């Protein structure tokens, strides 16, 4: 079962309906409203679908009300919370460690292993860098975010 299929199953368990719709705008990837997620039927890869679905599930779990007006600070905060939820669901610090243990040597390989897009992984890493600073420690690992991504296993 792919990570996209797992997210679909999770949405079903949570009572969230997923529909596929062709949107008039190519920029619009998905919408969440009242327990329903509409995904753009033009999404090409399972990795892209999975990242978009994860963010929309993040809205289900963390958002309330109409947050489409991005001039409102509270709406921007809710959008960020949904993205952070998606980053943690799809990647998390342990996902970075798992990619390292799997032998991934590049962002491309790590994104492939984690079944996310490279852009989603880069955005998640930037989010984690902002949260943790230069590095984070988890279990027996140090994850460096500066100057580039690096993982060190502590003996």
């Amino acid at each position: 079962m792919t990570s996209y299929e797992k997210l679909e199953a999770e949405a079903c368990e949570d009572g969230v309906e997923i529909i596929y719709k062709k949107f008039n705008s190519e920029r619009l990837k998905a919408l969440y409203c009242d327990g329903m997620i509409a995904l753009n039927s033009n999404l090409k890869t399972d990795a892209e679908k999975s990242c978009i679905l994860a963010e929309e599930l993040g809205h289900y779990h963390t958002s309330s009300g109409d947050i489409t007006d991005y001039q409102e600070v509270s709406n921007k905060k809710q959008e960020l919370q949904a993205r952070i939820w998606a980053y943690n669901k799809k990647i998390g610090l342990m996902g970075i460690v798992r990619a390292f243990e799997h032998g991934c040597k590049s962002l491309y390989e790590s994104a492939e292993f984690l079944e996310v897009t490279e852009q989603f992984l880069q955005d998640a890493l930037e989010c984690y860098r902002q949260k943790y600073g230069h590095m984070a420690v988890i279990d027996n690992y140090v994850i460096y975010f500066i100057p580039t991504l690096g993982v060190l296993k502590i003996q």
Side-chain angles (χ1 to χ4, degrees):
M1 182 180 274
T2 67
S3 67
Y4 176 68
E5 292 168 333
K6 288 176 186 173
L7 282 175
E8 278 185 319
E10 180 179 318
C12 183
E13 288 172 16
D14 288 342
V16 177
E17 183 180 355
I18 301 170
I19 62 170
Y20 301 89
K21 178 162 179 43
K22 183 172 172 128
F23 294 118
N24 291 333
S25 171
E26 289 296 315
R27 291 181 46 217
L28 187 57
K29 306 288 186 189
L31 291 171
Y32 169 77
C33 183
D34 297 330
M36 180 179 290
I37 295 172
L39 288 178
N40 192 328
S41 57
N42 289 334
L43 297 174
K44 292 174 181 41
T45 67
D46 275 355
E48 183 180 22
K49 289 177 192 175
S50 181
C51 295
I52 300 298
L53 180 55
E55 184 175 334
E56 296 310 313
L57 283 172
H59 285 295
Y60 167 75
H61 288 287
T62 66
S63 301
S64 63
D66 179 359
I67 65 167
T68 55
D69 180 3
Y70 290 141
Q71 300 303 316
E72 293 289 326
V73 173
S74 64
N75 293 350
K76 289 179 183 179
K77 287 180 180 179
Q78 287 191 68
E79 184 64 36
L80 180 60
Q81 281 303 114
R83 287 189 184 152
I84 291 169
W85 189 95
Y87 297 149
N88 290 332
K89 181 72 175 178
K90 294 289 301 165
I91 301 168
L93 295 179
M94 284 309 298
I96 297 167
V97 169
R98 284 193 336 271
F100 166 76
E101 288 293 343
H102 186 72
C104 297
K105 302 283 187 223
S106 67
L107 282 179
Y108 171 80
E109 289 176 356
S110 296
E112 285 277 309
F113 174 75
L114 295 167
E115 297 180 65
V116 298
T117 64
E118 282 184 82
Q119 186 62 55
F120 187 86
L121 178 56
Q122 287 175 340
D123 293 345
L125 293 173
E126 176 59 23
C127 176
Y128 295 148
R129 186 195 63 73
Q130 288 178 11
K131 179 177 181 177
Y132 298 108
H134 292 329
M135 64 177 202
V137 177
I138 185 164
D139 293 341
N140 294 336
Y141 296 89
V142 179
I143 302 170
Y144 293 95
F145 301 107
I146 304 282
T148 61
L149 178 65
V151 180
L152 175 66
K153 186 172 185 175
I154 303 168
Q155 298 297 341

